[in-house]
Amino acid sequence: MSKFIEIKNLSFSYPGDSQNPCVPVLHDINLEIDKGEFVAILGRNGSGKSTLAKLLNLILVPSSGTVSVGGKLLSSDMSEEEIIEVRKCIGMVFQNPDNQLVATVVEEDIAFGPENLGVEPEEIRRRVDQALEIVGMTEFAKHSPHQLSGGQKQRIAIAGIIAIMPECIVFDESTAMLDPHGRKEVMRTIETLNREKGITVITITHNMEEAVCADKVVVIDHGTIVKQGSPKEVFSRPEELWGLGLSVPQVTELFDMLRCLGAELPEGVISEEEGAQLLFELLRS
Amino acid sequence: MAVLLRDITLGQFFPGNSLLHKTDPRYKIIIAMVYIVSLFLAKGVLSYALVLVFTFAMIIFSGIPLRIVVRGFKALMFIIAFTAILNIFWTKGENLIFEYKFIKIYAEGVTYAVFMILRLLCLLTGSSVLISYTTSPIALTYGIEKLLAPLNLIKVPVHEFSMMMTIALRFIPTLIEETDKIMSAQKARGADFTSGGIIKRAKALIPILIPLFVSAFRRADELAVAMECRCYNGGKGRSKMTKLKTKPLDIIMLLVFSAFTAGIILLNGITLF
Ligand SMILES: Nc1ncnc2c1ncn2[C@@H]1O[C@H](COP(=O)(O)OP(=O)(O)O)[C@@H](O)[C@H]1O
Ligand SMILES: [Mg+2]
């Protein structure tokens, strides 16, 4: 049985300008993602994360190698209906909430996706109400987007994707522009979607607390996957991540420092509760 | 700034629950046309009296405060004065009522000027009460799209036009906020937008316009990708969450306004003097 998303030997270059006619961005990427999985993609700016995301729903087309979604191979000679089918399956939420909302009324905006798909009016209404409920914004249905905070706008953008009913949602640094409060709201929404609604989540992020919640962490540098594994495995060697221009969760960093000072502590501690428990035991003994 | 934002996004829309607010935007556009045509049909004291009464009733029914409507007249002050002067001094008639050197004013000129002014004021009041004050821009856009839909057959891009309007309405507040931010940033660096002649001031705007344009293009780019990700493909096979449905109220409104036109035509035929 094939995986939900299968990326094989994928390479991609942007068509450049006259001086350098082709800008290679991704090299030989191999990645598999299961249905219902929660995957975090890390990597410094310009490492090719957004490019990878856009290759998943045919905004971009691979230069070489293959991407398949739900067993279907993506290619540039798919018909318009097939492309829409892929985009219906993989939703995408971007960084700047302002540049994703199209309508002047919240509920009209959420209806945009289903309307494009030609869904029946009553069904659109039902989906809009449901999406608003999932992101906890029901009372803002009639508001105008510019009256909302960043976190609220981003939740509306997410609701707009939920209304399309995708099997997978890619979040491309969707929490990066938000204040800590807005980030929490959005993170909670993302986790609900994955744990309760069973939606496959791929989140591109610089926020390590977000990556810790994932089932799998993928680290990209200069267009190649340099590390892949559970958060515990990936964060067990902080020096390596620092070398890639990334940080590690605060607990992990604290434990690393303590270990350097000679404390008998395990590697790869990523959750704060676990850390607190270990410290408590260390201090008691 | 907040006031300005409200003004631009809502236009002059006055949220409310009146019968005029509830009328279908498509019908309102048609009704407004009927009203304007009737206005130009009106001749003579009786029909003008009907126009005035009817227009006044419309304001009352819309629930728009009278002072708001009157405030709108200010914009027309110049045109009104111009029309009045032109008609009073240049119309020639039989009943001379004032003469001073080469200035001759006839009674006909005065009557004509009064009618012209009334017509202008009613035109403004009627169209703003029917359309701008009681219809939200988004409903108006949708109404126009639906009314113009037949033009699709001769390849007029009606959907694209309405999508453009919607996006423009959506982004105006965002871009105004951004302009505000850029202006503050440039002021903090010592830019001066308020002194000097017109050329100097225009030049001072360049450091605002350039970042604004750059950002607008970036936004447009991102929005286009986001729309594609949301399965947009140029409006083919698109449905709508809220369908416009003709209600009895819309038909009644149409009948009332048609009766108004008929009334004017009838009254035109009756001469008082
Ligand atoms: N449209 C484009 N044309 C040419 N080069 C691009 C384009 N978009 C991104 N790039 C380049 O591709 C590289 C990876 O970009 P991106 O995928 O956005 O990285 P990330 O999301 O990890 O920050 C960058 O070096 C960037 O300059
Ligand atoms: Mg990016």
Side-chain angles (χ1 to χ4, degrees):
Chain A
M1 186 166 146
S2 65
K3 300 271 186 180
F4 177 48
I5 297 177
E6 258 184 351
I7 302 174
K8 282 208 188 105
N9 309 104
L10 169 71
S11 299
F12 180 80
S13 323
Y14 280 105
D17 46 29
S18 48
Q19 280 148 22
N20 21 332
C22 129
V23 188
V25 174
L26 296 174
H27 318 276
D28 199 23
I29 301 267
N30 286 286
L31 183 64
E32 289 179 345
I33 294 169
D34 283 324
K35 232 188 169 102
E37 209 171 8
F38 190 143
V39 179
I41 298 182
L42 309 179
R44 66 177 113 206
N45 284 334
S47 55
K49 309 179 297 293
S50 302
T51 308
L52 179 61
K54 286 179 186 152
L55 282 157
L56 296 178
N57 68 349
L58 277 170
I59 297 294
L60 300 174
V61 184
S63 307
S64 71
T66 60
V67 178
S68 60
V69 173
K72 257 218 217 78
L73 202 65
L74 307 193
S75 79
S76 53
D77 25 79
M78 279 174 136
S79 69
E80 205 164 298
E81 288 77 40
E82 286 174 306
I83 294 177
I84 294 288
E85 240 5 83
V86 174
R87 295 193 180 145
K88 214 163 91 181
C89 176
I90 300 201
M92 220 163 268
V93 180
F94 296 94
Q95 184 172 19
N96 188 340
D98 265 331
N99 300 350
Q100 298 171 68
L101 304 180
V102 279
T104 44
V105 183
V106 163
E107 57 176 20
E108 293 277 337
D109 184 83
I110 299 174
F112 181 72
E115 283 176 349
N116 288 335
L117 294 168
V119 175
E120 290 300 308
E122 302 80 48
E123 168 69 6
I124 300 182
R125 184 75 254 173
R126 204 185 55 73
R127 288 193 193 182
V128 168
D129 292 339
Q130 196 184 14
L132 276 167
E133 202 184 311
I134 293 174
V135 298
M137 293 286 291
T138 306
E139 63 204 282
F140 296 94
K142 303 271 184 210
H143 280 58
S144 149
H146 80 264
Q147 299 169 318
L148 305 177
S149 73
Q152 290 173 327
K153 274 190 251 189
Q154 197 62 294
R155 275 149 68 198
I156 297 304
I158 296 175
I161 299 297
I162 295 175
I164 299 173
M165 309 215 293
E167 291 172 48
C168 168
I169 304 181
V170 181
F171 296 88
D172 189 353
E173 301 193 33
S174 302
T175 58
M177 283 183 68
L178 307 178
D179 57 28
H181 180 71
R183 184 173 302 163
K184 278 242 168 58
E185 289 171 2
V186 171
M187 273 169 64
R188 215 170 14 238
T189 310
I190 297 178
E191 274 200 70
T192 317
L193 287 177
N194 180 255
R195 310 270 183 249
E196 284 167 30
K197 308 283 165 196
I199 293 176
T200 311
V201 167
I202 302 175
T203 175
I204 297 173
T205 182
H206 289 286
N207 177 4
M208 298 304 144
E209 323 305 322
E210 222 173 299
V212 162
C213 311
D215 301 318
K216 178 155 87 191
V217 177
V218 177
V219 183
I220 296 190
D221 196 43
H222 291 107
T224 48
I225 294 184
V226 289
K227 257 175 176 302
Q228 193 177 157
S230 70
K232 245 182 170 20
E233 289 161 15
V234 171
F235 291 125
S236 61
R237 305 220 172 279
E239 353 28 281
E240 287 182 28
L241 285 172
W242 288 327
L244 296 169
L246 297 170
S247 60
V248 296
Q250 281 175 335
V251 208
T252 319
E253 191 169 347
L254 173 69
F255 272 62
D256 189 62
M257 288 193 304
L258 290 174
R259 257 200 324 278
C260 286
L261 295 173
E264 295 261 323
L265 287 167
E267 279 183 339
V269 177
I270 53 171
S271 89
E272 287 171 15
E273 290 87 58
E274 187 191 0
Q277 185 67 36
L278 284 168
L279 277 184
F280 174 69
E281 277 161 20
L282 180 76
L283 291 176
R284 201 169 49 178
S285 63
Chain B
M1 209 65 202
V3 177
L4 182 63
L5 278 182
R6 191 198 157 276
D7 273 7
I8 293 186
T9 36
L10 290 183
Q12 295 165 309
F13 179 53
F14 235 83
N17 251 331
S18 75
L19 290 182
L20 280 178
H21 281 90
K22 285 185 193 139
T23 307
D24 189 312
R26 291 171 301 177
Y27 282 81
K28 265 199 277 193
I29 296 168
I30 297 174
I31 284 172
M33 287 185 199
V34 171
Y35 175 85
I36 290 170
V37 169
S38 321
L39 214 53
F40 281 92
L41 287 177
K43 290 189 196 77
V45 180
L46 281 180
S47 4
Y48 267 93
L50 176 63
V51 166
L52 283 185
V53 172
F54 192 80
T55 308
F56 202 71
M58 222 159 65
I59 301 176
I60 304 289
F61 265 102
S62 69
I64 309 290
L66 202 57
R67 71 187 153 78
I68 301 281
V69 178
V70 173
R71 204 169 60 191
F73 292 168
K74 267 195 232 150
L76 278 189
M77 273 328 236
F78 179 75
I79 298 181
I80 289 175
F82 187 72
T83 325
I85 292 172
L86 213 63
N87 281 299
I88 291 178
F89 292 107
W90 266 268
T91 312
K92 294 217 161 33
E94 289 172 352
N95 310 309
L96 192 63
I97 51 172
F98 181 85
E99 187 167 6
Y100 176 76
K101 286 187 183 162
F102 59 92
I103 300 173
K104 291 194 177 87
I105 296 177
Y106 297 91
E108 285 84 356
V110 177
T111 337
Y112 199 67
V114 170
F115 280 163
M116 264 321 254
I117 292 170
L118 281 180
R119 183 181 281 175
L120 275 176
L121 289 182
C122 286
L123 188 69
L124 176 72
T125 313
S127 52
S128 54
V129 166
L130 279 174
I131 298 199
S132 12
Y133 290 144
T134 58
T135 322
S136 72
I138 197 105
L140 191 59
T141 309
Y142 190 27
I144 296 174
E145 179 180 356
K146 283 289 144 193
L147 274 183
L148 297 185
L151 292 184
N152 261 327
L153 293 178
I154 53 164
K155 303 262 191 280
V156 176
V158 178
H159 164 77
E160 281 78 356
F161 170 74
S162 121
M163 196 75 221
M164 250 164 58
M165 281 285 289
T166 312
I167 291 177
L169 287 169
R170 155 74 189 79
F171 276 90
I172 285 168
T174 312
L175 290 178
I176 289 180
E177 258 166 43
E178 184 144 338
T179 315
D180 212 30
K181 266 192 218 149
I182 297 174
M183 266 178 120
S184 308
Q186 302 292 28
K187 270 188 202 154
R189 293 175 193 163
D192 178 10
F193 303 114
T194 50
S195 66
I198 192 150
I199 301 216
K200 184 156 177 264
R201 281 196 206 187
K203 269 192 182 157
L205 285 180
I206 293 176
I208 297 176
L209 291 181
I210 290 178
L212 193 65
F213 271 90
V214 170
S215 130
F217 279 113
R218 204 198 49 236
R219 282 181 194 281
D221 221 31
E222 283 182 24
L223 184 70
V225 172
M227 281 169 71
E228 274 193 79
C229 286
R230 292 171 74 180
C231 307
Y232 184 68
N233 63 348
K236 253 176 285 158
R238 214 172 126 73
S239 60
K240 264 288 191 183
M241 175 167 69
T242 39
K243 274 248 150 63
L244 288 177
K245 267 210 202 89
T246 304
K247 310 178 288 294
L249 171 68
D250 305 324
I251 304 288
I252 293 173
M253 282 292 184
L254 198 57
L255 289 178
V256 168
F257 276 77
S258 310
F260 169 63
T261 317
I264 284 183
I265 294 174
L266 278 180
L267 289 179
N268 275 343
I270 302 172
T271 33
L272 259 193
F273 308 109

